């Protein structure tokens, strides 16, 4: 019998026992979750996005980000990945939210820590051609498609805390 003790909550949605069986039947075995860090860089009414390539989510749009290295702070990871991927530097960082991202077709599971900051300087360029093919500014209410699952989860409010998601919040702390 499914009850509160057997349910899990992912990104603001509740999944009962039946949902867990459905998910488990349609994906390869999940690997141990990894920690990803993403940075929303704002410039006025625009956000900086990259078009991913070479890994899960290839050909989707996301913010700069990547894996948290052992011993690295979340802030240092967000700054490093953004600079490496795009050549852009961001101002002071603040915490935004956490998403629980399950890439069912590849069996990948990520916990993504979302940070945000205003643009400081640097000309956006493709700094990691094995990881991205494009980098550009987009109006926050006119984002390209398709979006990377982690960003889609954040925008749709499937995050913790839930009220820190949503497209309307991409432009403000």
């Amino acid at each position: 019998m499914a009850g509160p003790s057997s349910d899990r909550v992912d990104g603001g949605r509740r999944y009962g026992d039946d949902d867990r069986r459905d998910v488990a039947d349609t994906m390869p075995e999940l690997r141990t979750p990894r920690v990803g860090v993403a940075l929303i860089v704002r410039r006025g009414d625009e956000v900086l996005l990259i078009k991913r390539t070479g890994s899960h989510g290839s050909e989707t749009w996301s913010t700069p980000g990547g894996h948290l290295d052992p011993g690295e702070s979340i802030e240092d990871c967000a700054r490093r990945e953004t600079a490496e991927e795009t050549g852009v530097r961001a101002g002071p960082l603040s915490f935004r939210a956490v998403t629980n991202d399950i890439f069912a077709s590849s069996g990948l599971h990520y916990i993504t820590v979302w940070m945000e900051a205003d643009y400081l300087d640097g000309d956006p360029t493709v700094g990691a051609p094995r990881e991205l093919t494009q980098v550009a500014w987009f109006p926050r209410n006119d984002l390209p498609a398709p979006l990377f699952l982690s960003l889609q989860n954040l925008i749709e409010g499937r995050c913790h805390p839930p009220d820190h998601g949503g497209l309307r919040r991409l432009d403000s702390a």
Side-chain angles (χ1 to χ4, degrees), residues 5-167:
S5 62
S6 64
D7 288 348
R8 74 172 189 220
V9 176
D10 289 333
R13 292 185 53 200
R14 184 170 294 280
Y15 297 90
D17 287 334
D18 291 338
D19 293 318
R20 278 195 295 273
R21 278 193 295 275
D22 292 344
V23 168
D25 291 343
T26 61
M27 76 169 101
E29 184 176 329
L30 286 177
R31 298 183 190 132
T32 301
R34 296 197 64 188
V35 177
V37 177
L39 179 60
I40 300 166
V41 181
R42 300 178 305 256
R43 184 179 73 176
D45 195 35
E46 298 176 313
V47 293
L48 184 67
L49 296 182
I50 62 169
K51 190 168 189 180
R52 298 171 56 89
T53 191
S55 68
H56 63 288
S58 188
E59 300 303 313
T60 62
W61 289 92
S62 188
T63 63
H67 295 118
L68 181 66
D69 288 342
E72 185 176 37
S73 75
I74 292 168
E75 295 83 357
D76 286 347
C77 178
R79 289 185 188 288
R80 175 183 54 79
E81 289 286 352
T82 300
E84 287 175 2
E85 291 177 348
T86 70
V88 166
R89 289 190 325 140
L93 275 62
S94 61
F95 171 77
R96 171 67 175 274
V98 173
T99 54
N100 186 25
D101 308 310
I102 298 173
F103 297 85
S105 63
S106 58
L108 296 174
H109 184 182
Y110 280 82
I111 301 301
T112 305
V113 179
W114 287 89
M115 303 297 288
E116 60 188 348
D118 290 326
Y119 168 77
L120 186 61
D121 62 26
D123 293 321
T125 58
V126 174
R130 285 191 264 171
E131 298 174 21
L132 59 133
T133 59
Q134 297 177 52
V135 57
W137 295 102
F138 290 91
R140 69 176 175 85
N141 55 1
D142 190 21
L143 301 180
L147 294 176
F148 186 54
L149 175 67
S150 303
L151 180 57
Q152 186 174 343
N153 283 342
L154 178 73
I155 289 172
E156 293 176 2
R158 291 189 301 265
C159 59
H160 300 285
D163 63 342
H164 283 211
L167 182 58

